[in-house]
């Protein structure tokens, strides 16, 4: 009961706060490809069976400010059917369904580890239905979903998660890293930058045992891909000046979880990548970084020249919680 209450209350809080492999990842699907595929799937009746038997408590979610951009973030969630977190994923799905009915999100972002324990094998993998379409099926959740990748996703075919965009009517992931621009009511723009942390980490590996799952990572997480990803990230952050800039990645840049401190020692490449990404983010006028990986709920911030960068951890989509440092 405490777990459910904690999950529900934090998820609502984060939603309100954010109002403001082994395979190659080079299948760069266009947005027009995705748009046409989504329309075709909807004409066939959609991919997600609807649910009408959900009971929500009245007035359980505060009303959003007028004109706010409302979106949800879901991390570390694809555990249905496993020994850990299976029922919790369903609990969280019911919670965000109620939250969405009270404050309809414009879109939903995922923070990686979409499919435990080893990602997916192809775009027809049964997990897309069993852990996604059949779980998040309330009408209020039938909005665009913008996924990002986690380390467990890299144990499968990361390219397949992009290709699934052509089979779903809401999953929208043109490649492993990409940008979405959301127009604001006042004429401004919200820039969403989705990065692949595991790929960004590749350039910092200098030995055979300095990365998580190192023996299972392929070219999608290798040095060449990493260099390409970093060059892309520099380009997209220097070529535009949005009203708000939000970056979505899997692992935390600031964390007080017990595992985070140990990870930097156990996986030195991860520690080097964390320092480099944080330095880059704080120097690129990023307003908000959102991550999963740590199965905790955290909010932090750091001052930068001309503003503040906020850091939100929301890896509580279903898997068991991680402890915080004393």
């Amino acid at each position: 009961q405490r777990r459910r209450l904690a999950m529900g209350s934090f998820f609502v809080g984060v939603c309100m706060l954010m109002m403001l492999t082994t395979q190659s990842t080079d299948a760069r699907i266009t947005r027009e490809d995705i748009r046409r595929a989504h329309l075709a799937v909807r004409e066939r009746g959609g991919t997600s069976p609807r649910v009408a038997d959900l009971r929500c408590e009245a007035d359980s979610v505060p009303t959003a400010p007028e004109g706010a951009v409302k979106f949800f973030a879901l991390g570390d969630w694809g555990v249905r059917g496993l020994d850990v977190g299976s029922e919790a994923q369903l609990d969280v799905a019911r919670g965000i369904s109620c939250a969405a009915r009270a404050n309809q999100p414009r879109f939903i972002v995922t923070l990686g580890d979409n499919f435990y324990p080893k990602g997916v094998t192809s775009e027809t993998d049964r997990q897309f239905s069993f852990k996604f379409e059949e779980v998040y099926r309330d009408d209020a959740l039938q909005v665009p979903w913008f996924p990002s990748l986690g380390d467990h996703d890299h144990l499968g075919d990361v390219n397949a998660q992009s290709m699934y965009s052509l089979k779903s009517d809401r999953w929208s992931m043109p490649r492993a890293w990409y940008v979405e621009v959301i127009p604001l009511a006042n004429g401004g723009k919200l820039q969403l930058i989705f990065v692949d942390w595991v790929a960004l980490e590749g350039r910092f590996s200098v030995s055979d045992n300095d990365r998580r799952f190192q023996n299972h990572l392929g070219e999608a997480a290798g040095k060449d891909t990493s260099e390409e990803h970093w060059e892309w990230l520099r380009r997209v952050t220097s070529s535009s000046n949005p009203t708000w800039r939000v970056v979505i990645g899997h692992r935390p840049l600031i964390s007080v979880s017990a595992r985070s401190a140990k990870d930097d020692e156990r996986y030195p490449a991860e520690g080097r990548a964390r320092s480099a990404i944080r330095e880059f983010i704080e120097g690129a006028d990023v307003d908000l970084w959102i991550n999963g990986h740590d199965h905790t709920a955290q909010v932090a911030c750091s001052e930068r020249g001309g503003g503040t960068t906020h850091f939100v951890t929301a890896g509580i989509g279903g898997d068991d919680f991680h402890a915080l440092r004393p």
Side-chain angles (χ1 to χ4, degrees):
Q1 181 66 19
R2 285 196 300 270
R3 178 189 174 94
R4 294 178 183 178
L5 290 173
M7 280 187 171
S9 62
F10 176 75
F11 214 103
V12 170
V14 168
C15 292
M16 302 303 290
L17 171 70
M18 293 188 299
M19 289 169 187
L20 302 159
T21 135
T22 57
Q23 300 292 322
S24 172
T25 58
D26 57 4
R28 304 177 188 186
I29 305 169
T30 68
R31 286 177 176 78
E32 182 61 18
D33 291 335
I34 294 175
R35 186 188 70 82
R36 290 178 178 178
H38 286 185
L39 288 174
V41 172
R42 288 172 192 147
E43 288 177 357
R44 298 194 298 268
T47 53
S48 181
R50 302 300 190 262
V51 60
D53 59 352
L54 180 65
R55 298 180 61 183
C56 302
E57 295 182 10
D59 302 323
S60 60
V61 181
T63 302
E66 185 69 26
V69 177
K70 296 173 288 185
F71 65 100
F72 291 177
L74 184 68
D76 303 82
W77 48 276
V79 294
R80 184 185 181 197
L82 302 181
D83 291 337
V84 295
S86 181
E87 289 302 316
Q89 183 186 357
L90 301 180
D91 289 340
V92 173
R94 286 188 283 268
I96 65 172
S97 296
C98 288
R101 290 182 182 186
N103 275 294
Q104 180 64 56
R106 193 163 170 179
F107 54 88
I108 296 170
V109 303
T110 83
L111 310 176
D113 284 358
N114 306 317
F115 300 101
Y116 285 92
K118 297 181 179 180
V120 296
T121 58
S122 72
E123 63 268 32
T124 61
D125 195 308
R126 171 77 173 100
Q127 293 181 88
F128 284 113
S129 177
F130 187 67
K131 296 178 180 178
F132 174 58
E133 303 288 1
E134 296 175 13
V135 176
Y136 309 103
R137 59 196 182 103
D138 193 80
D139 282 343
L141 303 181
Q142 305 308 306
V143 297
W145 284 60
F146 300 131
S148 64
L149 297 170
D151 38 79
H152 284 272
D153 298 311
H154 268 271
L155 299 182
D157 185 347
V158 296
N159 187 54
Q161 295 202 35
S162 295
M163 296 304 296
Y164 186 69
S165 302
L166 303 181
K167 294 186 172 294
S168 173
D169 60 354
R170 50 182 170 154
W171 188 274
S172 183
M173 183 184 181
R175 62 176 300 193
W177 58 85
Y178 59 101
V179 175
E180 295 289 340
V181 177
I182 309 298
L184 304 178
N186 61 3
K189 294 180 179 180
L190 166 62
Q191 182 188 49
L192 299 169
I193 302 174
F194 296 83
V195 301
D196 180 354
W197 173 290
V198 181
L200 288 175
E201 178 191 73
R203 67 184 300 189
F204 298 98
S205 178
V206 297
S207 68
D208 293 336
N209 298 299
D210 62 355
R211 301 181 70 184
R212 186 188 308 269
F213 302 141
Q214 185 151 3
N215 293 333
H216 303 281
L217 300 177
E219 64 180 87
K223 288 187 180 295
D224 290 344
T225 302
S226 184
E227 294 295 344
E228 178 187 355
H229 194 353
W230 275 99
E231 177 57 32
W232 173 88
L233 184 57
R234 285 187 287 266
R235 186 169 63 251
V236 298
T237 54
S238 63
S239 61
S240 61
N241 186 29
T243 310
W244 298 99
R245 175 170 286 153
V246 177
V247 181
I248 294 94
H250 180 58
R251 293 178 185 157
L253 302 181
I254 298 176
S255 178
V256 293
S257 73
R259 78 177 300 202
S260 189
K262 296 177 182 178
D263 284 350
D264 284 353
E265 297 180 4
R266 183 182 301 176
Y267 308 111
E270 181 173 330
R272 291 188 288 269
R274 195 187 320 278
S275 297
I277 296 171
R278 178 177 174 181
E279 181 180 1
F280 181 89
I281 291 299
E282 291 176 339
D285 294 328
V286 173
D287 299 290
L288 178 62
W289 166 278
I290 316 174
N291 65 268
H293 189 63
D294 285 357
H295 304 166
T296 60
Q298 302 180 51
V299 178
C301 63
S302 67
E303 299 299 322
R304 53 181 168 81
T308 302
T309 299
H310 297 267
F311 301 87
V312 171
T313 296
I316 54 174
D319 205 345
D320 289 348
F321 284 164
H322 290 146
L324 299 177
R325 293 200 299 267

